[in-house]
Amino acid sequence: MFQTLTNDRIHMLSVVLLFCLVSLLFTFLPIMLVEAQRNEATVAANWTFDNGSAKDTSKNAIHGKFVGNPISVAGIAGKAFEFDGKGDGIGLPDTPLINTGGPYTNRTVAAFFKCNNISLNEKQVIFQEGGATRGLCIYVHRGEAYVGGWNRAQYNWDGAWISEKIRSNRWHHVAVVIRNAADKVENGKLEMWLDGKLVGKDAGGQLHAHGNDTSIGYVTQKTIYHDGVEDLSNVGWFGGIIDEVIVYNSAFDAADFREIAHPLSVELQGKFTTTWGYLKTKRMEN
């Protein structure tokens, strides 16, 4: 009798647990399905560097031009470019998809990078667009990676910068995101993501057209940093490796960044072949 009651209770408990799990699945599955915001229709440019050139591999053909002599090397996924920190960079042409169109209410700029010496007092720019009036930037300075944005014309957004500590000679993935922004300053519109995780949010707004040039690995025509310094042309040289730079006019979400940053977890184990195969599969799916 005791054994029968015990088995009945165990069976009942199993049924209850199964019901709870199914309920949770139906509750959170819709959230999981809509979480990813990456929209391939909004791709502006994708510089994979896999063919040893600065060509944009998206359909938009926003091809870059070398400054100095960046060297094609093994990256986190396929090939990347190594910059000497003195005069190597990639200049990018004007395009309504990045800087001469707009206003841009959503934007994601992201890249893998490995910095040789993060402790330098000089800023080391990974990506920048715009100038002293409107723009976005991603850079390294004194042990931290920074992202920033500003629009000092249309609605007096003086700018916001978010940072997080990083390590020298270690692959990281960094992104700056503008999400559902309006033509005014609102809380939480500028985001920083590092290694697949949200670092923080700050006030921001949409980005209007900005005629100054865009570049990878250095500042080509002005940018603004967290300390208020307005840098001029041909400065901010990055020392290290940059890979897989992308610009989208949609705001990536947590699921997108988890997928993109996946190679970091593989790289820690030294499995570059697995990483490359994973990314190639994802590209074919997209």
Side-chain angles (χ1 to χ4, degrees):
M1 179 70 175
F2 177 78
Q3 184 67 35
T4 302
L5 289 175
T6 301
N7 290 338
D8 288 344
R9 288 176 179 173
I10 292 174
H11 177 71
M12 183 178 295
L13 180 60
S14 299
V15 172
V16 171
L17 287 174
L18 179 60
F19 176 78
C20 292
L21 288 173
V22 171
S23 299
L24 287 172
L25 179 61
F26 278 98
T27 299
F28 291 105
L29 182 58
I31 297 175
M32 295 167 62
L33 291 175
V34 303
E35 185 180 15
Q37 299 299 310
R38 182 173 182 169
N39 182 354
E40 292 303 320
T42 70
V43 61
N46 186 352
W47 298 280
T48 65
F49 303 143
D50 292 336
N51 56 10
S53 75
K55 289 185 176 181
D56 170 21
T57 58
S58 81
K59 63 182 183 298
N60 301 316
I62 304 172
H63 303 318
K65 292 184 178 180
F66 292 126
V67 175
N69 186 35
I71 300 174
S72 180
V73 297
I76 188 81
K79 294 292 185 178
F81 277 105
E82 184 172 9
F83 302 84
D84 66 2
K86 300 177 181 178
D88 290 344
I90 297 174
L92 304 173
D94 290 335
T95 168
L97 293 173
I98 298 178
N99 68 316
T100 60
Y104 311 97
T105 58
N106 290 283
R107 170 65 59 85
T108 297
V109 181
F112 284 100
F113 72 96
K114 182 192 287 188
C115 187
N116 294 337
N117 186 354
I118 63 171
S119 63
L120 295 179
N121 190 46
E122 295 83 5
K123 283 85 170 180
Q124 300 184 70
V125 172
I126 298 169
F127 178 93
Q128 68 84 33
E129 57 171 295
T133 305
R134 313 167 192 85
L136 296 173
C137 61
I138 303 175
Y139 59 96
V140 173
H141 182 238
R142 300 185 68 176
E144 298 187 61
Y146 285 82
V147 306
W150 58 95
N151 187 334
R152 297 178 171 181
Q154 280 76 15
Y155 53 92
N156 299 319
W157 178 25
D158 289 333
W161 292 262
I162 310 170
S163 67
E164 182 68 9
K165 292 182 179 180
I166 55 173
R167 295 173 61 180
S168 295
N169 296 308
R170 169 82 171 268
W171 280 108
H172 292 283
H173 185 264
V174 63
V176 58
V177 174
I178 294 177
R179 187 180 305 279
N180 298 325
D183 203 20
K184 59 182 178 180
V185 180
E186 298 179 296
N187 291 332
K189 296 303 180 180
L190 183 78
E191 301 174 0
M192 177 182 183
W193 294 76
L194 186 71
D195 299 343
K197 298 179 181 179
L198 177 64
V199 170
K201 300 181 181 182
D202 210 327
Q206 66 186 21
L207 190 62
H208 285 252
H210 42 286
N212 283 5
D213 290 343
T214 305
S215 53
I216 298 170
Y218 78 114
V219 177
T220 179
Q221 274 189 310
K222 290 190 177 182
T223 198
I224 302 178
Y225 301 121
H226 65 284
D227 54 10
V229 173
E230 296 183 8
D231 230 340
L232 302 177
S233 301
N234 300 318
V235 290
W237 305 102
F238 182 84
I241 304 174
I242 299 176
D243 197 1
E244 302 281 327
V245 183
I246 60 173
V247 179
Y248 277 68
N249 285 312
S250 55
F252 286 19
D253 219 325
D256 301 309
F257 286 115
R258 283 196 299 269
E259 177 181 312
I260 294 172
H262 174 80
L264 293 174
S265 61
V266 181
E267 190 266 341
L268 290 175
Q269 304 173 36
K271 298 179 181 178
F272 282 95
T273 302
T274 304
T275 303
W276 179 233
Y278 175 86
L279 280 189
K280 285 297 186 186
T281 300
K282 288 300 177 182
R283 287 176 188 159
M284 291 175 66
E285 291 176 355
N286 292 332

